[in-house]
Amino acid sequence: MKLTGAQILIECLKEQGVDTIFGFPGGAVLNIYDALFKAKDDIRHILTSHEQGAAHAADGYARATGKVGVCIATSGPGATNLVTGIATAYMDSVPMVAITGQVPTTLLGKDSFQEVDITGITMPITKHNYIVKDVERLADIVREAFIIAKEGRPGPVLIDICKDVTAAVTEYVPKVPKKPEEASLGVTEDEIDAAADAINKAKRPIILSGGGVSIAGANEEVFELANKALIPVTTTLMGIGSFPGTHELFTGMVGMHGTKTTNMAVSESDLFIAIGARFSDRVISDVNRFAPNAKIMHIDIDPAEVGKNVAVDYPLVGNIKKILKRLIAKVEKKEQSDWKNKIDEWKRLYPLKYPKDDVLRPNYIVERLYELTKGDAIITTEVGQHQIWAAQFYKFKSPRQFLSSGGLGTMGYGLGASIGAKLGRPDKKVINIAGDGSFRMNCNELATAVEYKLPIIIAIFNNHVLGMVRQWQNLFYDGRYSSTNIDRGTNFVALAEAYGAIGIDVRKPEEVDEAWKKALASKDTPVVINFEIDKDDKVFPIVPPGAAISDLIEE
């Protein structure tokens, strides 16, 4: 059948099972929006307040559901407004297809109105990108883009489409979507045998479960390996939820804001098993003093990550789930472990703690949320102290429960992500834990949440400062608080109400439960809770920059 490029794009999206798109219209995508209008019974378009919000919403939708998130923007500033969201998805391996409009082919390269080389700009932050100048190639490019976004290590793909291509007419032939090719299992039986032997002989092993475990759906295999061989488990920030936070083998997070138990265990381990993790600087700190007594085993789908930051003794590259299944079959079952007993003692001696007094503490706020939601909510965060408090004090049980910008550290991520998560998982309570600094950056997306009647909760930990930066200035810059005071008199409750959301103010510990219960009871209206906390509450533990992870500051 003969269709326009815009219609072909929509038909290809329908082929791929896309039911939701986040975006903002403009001149270069008018043909696409016209086709979207006609397809509104098949694809829901969510009009965000800003293109960055659309990218973060597509990201949150993808993380919460495991599907490919889709966002759309016009050319020029519309396209560049997606860049931070695309980079966020790239750093955290999130499958996304970003569609941008471009000026007509006859105007390319002429500094035309709203023209920008978005493929050039996004080349370093996408798995692949395209500029479509020929309608004959459009369908194949869209289909290929979804394959690339999903297969192997996932990530964002950008499709830039010239406006005249969306108006041109050609033959469209429907196709059944191809399934992404599974990563080849290049691991030999000898390598599996050597890895299993290392695990069986290890006296002090520890597993690091990273974000790749959740992406691969390999959390059950990590659970089985840990329980069979009685191996303690830690996670990266991105790996939170890939192993139950309530399990006796869980030691807490690792690295800069890891627990003392975990960082001591890593430092004393004789075998460090990293699964789906990339050895970020926030995990290893001083590489020369990271796990100094341990052999390193690294299981990952991306060969570029193995040996990149840390020398590896047992590299196992390929499909994590399949590798773990083969490994588990050869690992010996352990009934008891002196190493586990030692770590249990450390957990007893060095728990995460905070002052228990009549001051409103962020740690307490998160603990009460955990209790009231029974650990079953999806938590998104912005970036800063509140992000770490959420990671430390909410016990995540499942993958795709904790959505946070780990690699890029994007302030302003969480609100858009919570919108995407709620639309993707309407059955779940979705709470965005924010700092006042982060919330200001994209608070305009409250209008989106109100418009679509999304009962998300935004919990602002309002200390009137840029908390994490101030903490560093306090600890490492002799208290020189340069440009971190943001006490501008903003009334967040009034702001919420101006948007049409519910606003709640909390200043005392005894008000916390009532606020959470009221917010959790909302059926179709977003709720903003302004928690007034002290500007000098700090995140502990913290590893000073350049120190070994065992040299942490506890309080």
Side-chain angles (χ1 to χ4, degrees):
M1 73 186 100
K2 295 277 189 183
L3 297 178
T4 66
Q7 290 170 323
I8 288 169
L9 172 64
I10 300 305
E11 290 303 316
C12 288
L13 294 176
K14 286 158 64 175
E15 279 179 10
Q16 298 296 326
V18 174
D19 57 14
T20 305
I21 295 176
F22 304 89
F24 202 94
V29 289
L30 278 173
N31 294 329
I32 296 171
Y33 270 81
D34 191 51
L36 259 177
F37 181 84
K38 295 169 184 174
K40 59 188 175 185
D41 291 338
D42 299 307
I43 296 178
R44 167 179 56 177
H45 177 267
I46 303 300
L47 177 63
T48 56
S49 299
H50 189 284
E51 292 90 351
Q52 186 177 332
H56 292 327
D59 176 305
Y61 178 92
R63 294 196 208 209
T65 64
K67 301 176 184 177
V68 177
V70 181
C71 56
I72 184 168
T74 193
S75 62
T80 57
N81 281 345
L82 292 178
V83 168
T84 297
I86 293 170
T88 301
Y90 182 74
M91 290 289 281
D92 290 344
S93 304
V94 179
M96 178 194 292
V97 171
I99 299 162
T100 53
Q102 185 53 276
V103 299
T105 53
T106 54
L107 295 179
L108 282 172
K110 298 181 179 180
D111 293 332
S112 304
F113 177 67
Q114 291 194 333
E115 179 189 4
V116 72
D117 178 12
I118 195 61
T119 54
I121 289 169
T122 59
M123 190 174 291
I125 55 167
T126 51
K127 280 187 77 177
H128 195 68
N129 64 25
Y130 306 85
I131 179 166
V132 187
K133 304 176 187 178
D134 181 358
V135 72
E136 301 290 340
R137 295 196 59 225
L138 179 59
D140 287 343
I141 283 173
V142 174
R143 291 161 180 152
E144 190 176 86
F146 275 82
I147 292 289
I148 292 171
K150 289 184 285 189
E151 73 181 359
R153 181 179 181 174
V157 178
L158 180 131
I159 309 172
D160 193 36
I161 310 173
C162 292
K163 185 172 182 178
D164 52 332
V165 171
T166 64
V169 174
T170 192
E171 191 70 26
Y172 164 72
V173 180
K175 289 187 179 179
V176 176
K178 288 183 181 177
K179 289 187 177 181
E181 289 186 17
E182 287 194 359
S184 58
L185 196 59
V187 180
T188 67
E189 205 61 28
D190 286 346
E191 288 173 322
I192 293 288
D193 287 341
D197 186 57
I199 293 172
N200 292 334
K201 289 179 177 175
K203 302 295 184 187
R204 301 182 305 279
I206 189 164
I207 291 171
L208 172 64
S209 185
V213 171
S214 296
I215 292 168
N219 51 300
E220 290 182 6
E221 284 73 20
V222 170
F223 186 85
E224 187 178 352
L225 174 63
N227 279 277
K228 186 175 183 182
L230 274 185
I231 304 174
V233 180
T234 177
T235 69
T236 62
L237 183 76
M238 297 309 301
I240 286 174
S242 62
F243 190 85
T246 53
H247 196 276
E248 63 175 354
L249 288 171
F250 184 62
T251 64
M253 202 163 57
V254 68
M256 178 172 281
H257 297 296
T259 64
K260 183 170 182 176
T261 295
T262 296
N263 287 3
M264 288 171 63
V266 170
S267 300
E268 292 195 19
S269 66
D270 62 0
L271 180 65
F272 185 85
I273 307 164
I275 308 173
R278 60 186 180 86
F279 289 101
S280 152
D281 56 294
R282 289 295 174 104
V283 167
I284 62 177
S285 194
D286 181 358
V287 65
N288 297 312
R289 290 185 284 171
F290 180 78
N293 307 305
K295 295 286 188 181
I296 306 291
M297 185 182 299
H298 193 177
I299 306 172
D300 204 276
I301 199 166
D302 187 353
E305 291 295 349
V306 179
K308 184 176 84 176
N309 295 333
V310 170
V312 175
D313 301 286
Y314 303 96
L316 301 173
V317 179
N319 182 297
I320 293 173
K321 193 176 182 78
K322 289 184 176 180
I323 290 171
L324 287 173
K325 283 181 182 295
R326 290 172 64 189
L327 199 55
I328 289 164
K330 299 193 175 192
V331 166
E332 296 168 0
K333 183 170 178 59
K334 284 189 179 177
E335 300 294 345
Q336 64 84 33
S337 162
D338 292 339
W339 174 235
K340 179 183 177 297
N341 293 339
K342 185 174 187 179
I343 286 177
D344 286 345
E345 178 64 8
W346 284 340
K347 285 164 71 173
R348 187 184 66 79
L349 291 172
Y350 310 119
L352 287 171
K353 58 188 178 183
Y354 61 91
K356 303 292 175 71
D357 49 27
D358 59 358
V359 176
L360 182 60
R361 302 286 181 186
N363 331 61
Y364 174 76
I365 296 167
V366 176
E367 281 186 338
R368 293 309 303 147
L369 175 63
Y370 168 73
E371 294 293 338
L372 291 166
T373 58
K374 299 179 171 59
D376 196 40
I378 291 175
I379 306 296
T380 68
T381 77
E382 308 292 348
V383 171
Q385 290 176 313
H386 59 275
Q387 175 188 35
I388 306 304
W389 285 316
Q392 289 176 332
F393 290 93
Y394 197 99
K395 297 180 178 67
F396 295 90
K397 300 184 290 187
S398 308
R400 306 193 180 282
Q401 232 192 316
F402 179 71
L403 315 184
S404 191
S405 174
L408 197 63
T410 306
M411 294 176 69
Y413 166 80
L415 179 50
S418 67
I419 288 169
K422 185 63 181 177
L423 286 161
R425 294 295 309 274
D427 57 311
K428 290 286 186 182
K429 294 290 183 184
V430 177
I431 299 98
N432 178 41
I433 295 181
D436 49 322
S438 288
F439 177 69
R440 292 166 195 264
M441 291 199 169
N442 283 327
C443 63
N444 50 0
E445 294 305 335
L446 263 180
T448 309
V450 169
E451 169 69 18
Y452 293 98
K453 300 186 184 323
L454 303 177
I456 57 174
I457 301 167
I458 300 96
I460 303 173
F461 287 9
N462 187 3
N463 54 11
H464 304 274
V465 294
L466 298 175
M468 187 64 87
V469 187
R470 179 185 169 89
Q471 176 169 333
W472 275 57
Q473 288 172 337
N474 178 273
L475 295 176
F476 311 125
Y477 289 85
D478 297 325
R480 293 187 293 276
Y481 300 122
S482 177
S483 300
T484 46
N485 186 332
I486 54 170
D487 190 4
R488 294 168 175 171
T490 305
N491 183 331
F492 289 118
V493 171
L495 180 68
E497 292 170 348
Y499 274 111
I502 296 167
I504 302 172
D505 200 44
V506 175
R507 296 172 183 271
K508 299 175 183 176
E510 56 267 30
E511 297 169 349
V512 169
D513 277 22
E514 183 183 350
W516 278 135
K517 287 174 183 177
K518 180 178 179 181
L520 290 165
S522 178
K523 299 298 184 187
D524 59 5
T525 307
V527 180
V528 175
I529 310 176
N530 178 59
F531 290 106
E532 289 282 335
I533 65 170
D534 190 270
K535 66 179 180 293
D536 287 315
D537 259 345
K538 293 181 177 64
V539 166
F540 290 116
I542 181 171
V543 176
I549 62 168
S550 54
D551 296 336
L552 40 76
I553 301 170
E554 290 186 80
E555 57 185 82

